[in-house]
Amino acid sequence: MLDKTSDGSAGAGLTFSHHPHANPVDVNERARLLENPGFGRVFTDHMVTIRYNETEGWHDARVEARAPFQMDPSSAVLHYAQEIFEGMKAYRLADGGTALFRPEANARRFRNSAVRMAMAELPEELFLESIRLLVRTDHDWIPTAPGGSLYLRPFMIASEVFLGVKPSAEYIYAVIASSVGAYFKGGAPAVSLWVSEDYTRAAPGGTGAAKCGGNYATSLVAQAEAIRQGCDQVLFLDAAERRWIEELGGMNIFFVFDDGTLSTPPLTGTILPGITRDSILTLAKDMGLTAREEPYSIDQCRADAESGRLREAFACGTAAVVAPIGQMKMRGGDFTIGSGGPGQTTLRMLSALTDIQRGNVPDPHDWIDRID
């Protein structure tokens, strides 16, 4: 429990005030919730909030009890969708400590998203301090079960009360946290993808490279179609030709070929620059593997899967980390990738990444941000 008089210094000349939850979840109830938290349904006691307006800049930084916002029905976010967010995790390390994984990359991407959405830019050091403070406050909510972690959701919304199409003059930045287990359920050895031919995620000049809610909202109808087709996730093609593979509804994608090389679609402005994606490209080099960023068509993917040239495929992202892809379905027919289960390179990449995240092996790239 935080002391009410303690302060945390932050960037941009701000000091966080601390307001401990008056009635935190009982320790026994918390232990029960952490036995099987699922994903995104069990929330911690506290949150961070910081406010912005054009007169004061960033101000009123708080660590406080998690509670609903009071919003005017004319708040800009409700009408013009100025909203951005991040997804990241805090992990229990092998030595009992707690750490974040590459949080500075999340801070940088959050700022880039704000620029694209014409929102106030949160200083990166302030973003980082807000995350660290919340993890220190609610570290007891990190599950001890294998694979468990504390999922962190920093987000920012336009809060000015007005009806008019212009950038908001006021914003609320907040961080909430959720105790999580595995992202995918059911114990399947690999996920299946529905190739969407009717819907696209992003177009050149759009918001594909920003992490904003609208990108995910537009993916939901396609994801629902994937579920109806018996698939776990949707795979989007490019908006111009409906030919080139881009990404899943919430994850990037990699392909592994029979010569041991890896390939992933290039970042041309329509694909989210995933931090897990970037980490895998670096780890591939560490392993002596050739990793290319290049366009890959769905027709070529099918042909390579059928010929055996394409041996493995996997999705990657903060929530799922690395998820093997076993099958793709589309109107022209289904096809299996490799054995239909996780391949050796996929499992090797998953192990290498999670071992670094949890402090089981040395961290040669200084990716771990130790909190305690």
Side-chain angles (χ1 to χ4, degrees):
M1 176 65 68
L2 285 172
D3 181 79
K4 204 167 192 173
T5 61
S6 66
D7 290 322
S9 298
L14 283 183
T15 297
F16 283 85
S17 63
H18 294 261
H19 307 271
H21 200 303
N23 296 293
V25 174
D26 176 77
V27 62
N28 293 321
E29 174 63 9
R30 184 177 65 212
R32 186 190 68 80
L33 291 170
L34 295 186
E35 287 178 0
N36 185 23
F39 197 95
R41 295 190 179 276
V42 174
F43 294 94
T44 69
D45 292 310
H46 296 87
M47 66 181 185
V48 169
T49 57
I50 314 175
R51 294 179 181 268
Y52 174 92
N53 62 47
E54 292 181 341
T55 300
E56 300 173 271
W58 292 103
H59 65 284
D60 193 16
R62 295 167 168 257
V63 182
E64 57 189 341
R66 181 179 177 273
F69 288 141
Q70 285 190 325
M71 297 187 67
D72 190 285
S74 297
S75 296
V77 66
L78 302 176
H79 303 271
Y80 307 111
Q82 268 192 299
E83 181 270 353
I84 58 174
F85 68 96
E86 274 298 320
M88 51 201 302
K89 288 179 177 178
Y91 301 91
R92 288 195 186 276
L93 300 177
D95 64 6
T98 306
L100 301 166
F101 180 73
R102 301 190 65 183
E104 75 290 340
N106 293 94
R108 184 168 54 250
R109 189 171 66 181
F110 193 78
R111 192 165 186 168
N112 291 339
S113 294
V115 170
R116 177 61 184 86
M117 300 300 289
M119 302 174 75
E121 297 176 43
L122 183 74
E124 292 179 22
E125 65 271 21
L126 189 52
F127 176 100
L128 292 170
E129 184 63 16
S130 71
I131 301 296
R132 292 168 182 149
L133 280 173
L134 186 58
V135 174
R136 290 190 186 106
T137 302
D138 283 344
H139 70 274
D140 287 339
W141 284 88
I142 304 176
T144 56
S149 59
L150 189 66
Y151 185 82
L152 299 154
R153 173 52 59 86
F155 64 96
M156 181 163 58
I157 59 175
S159 56
E160 184 180 359
V161 177
F162 80 105
L163 294 178
V165 184
K166 73 173 186 68
S168 177
E170 299 178 8
Y171 297 93
I172 298 172
Y173 166 78
V175 190
I176 57 176
S178 175
S179 308
V180 300
Y183 184 73
F184 287 110
K185 303 174 181 65
V191 298
S192 55
L193 306 184
W194 171 253
V195 181
S196 180
E197 297 174 76
D198 296 324
Y199 304 102
T200 59
R201 178 186 172 276
T207 60
K211 199 166 178 66
C212 60
N215 292 344
Y216 295 81
T218 58
S219 75
L220 296 178
V221 65
Q223 177 63 25
E225 182 180 50
I227 298 297
R228 288 195 300 272
Q229 297 293 331
C231 294
D232 301 296
Q233 276 281 322
V234 61
L235 176 66
F236 288 109
L237 306 178
D238 73 294
E241 300 181 61
R242 309 291 178 93
R243 175 187 177 194
W244 303 102
I245 293 172
E246 295 215 319
E247 64 176 294
L248 279 63
M251 291 175 280
N252 296 121
I253 188 169
F254 275 84
F255 303 94
V256 183
F257 300 98
D258 57 0
D259 61 359
T261 62
L262 281 75
S263 173
T264 190
L267 301 178
T268 58
T270 59
I271 296 173
L272 184 72
I275 294 162
T276 307
R277 173 190 182 277
D278 182 71
S279 302
I280 288 171
L281 288 170
T282 300
L283 290 175
K285 294 177 183 177
D286 292 348
M287 296 174 181
L289 302 173
T290 299
R292 302 186 299 268
E293 298 177 77
E294 60 185 6
Y296 192 46
S297 73
I298 188 62
D299 290 339
Q300 189 63 53
C301 179
R302 177 199 287 275
D304 288 344
E306 292 174 347
S307 71
R309 177 175 179 261
L310 177 60
R311 295 291 179 85
E312 305 174 40
F314 60 86
C316 64
T318 297
V321 189
V322 171
I325 298 168
Q327 187 179 43
M328 292 191 186
K329 298 183 180 182
M330 54 192 302
R331 291 200 188 104
D334 308 343
F335 58 96
T336 299
I337 298 173
S339 66
Q344 290 185 350
T345 300
T346 300
L347 294 176
R348 184 183 178 193
M349 199 62 68
L350 173 62
S351 177
L353 189 57
T354 55
D355 278 346
I356 291 175
Q357 290 173 336
R358 299 184 182 277
N360 296 325
V361 298
D363 173 22
H365 302 288
D366 197 26
W367 285 342
I368 295 300
D369 181 29
R370 192 179 183 106
I371 294 176
D372 57 33

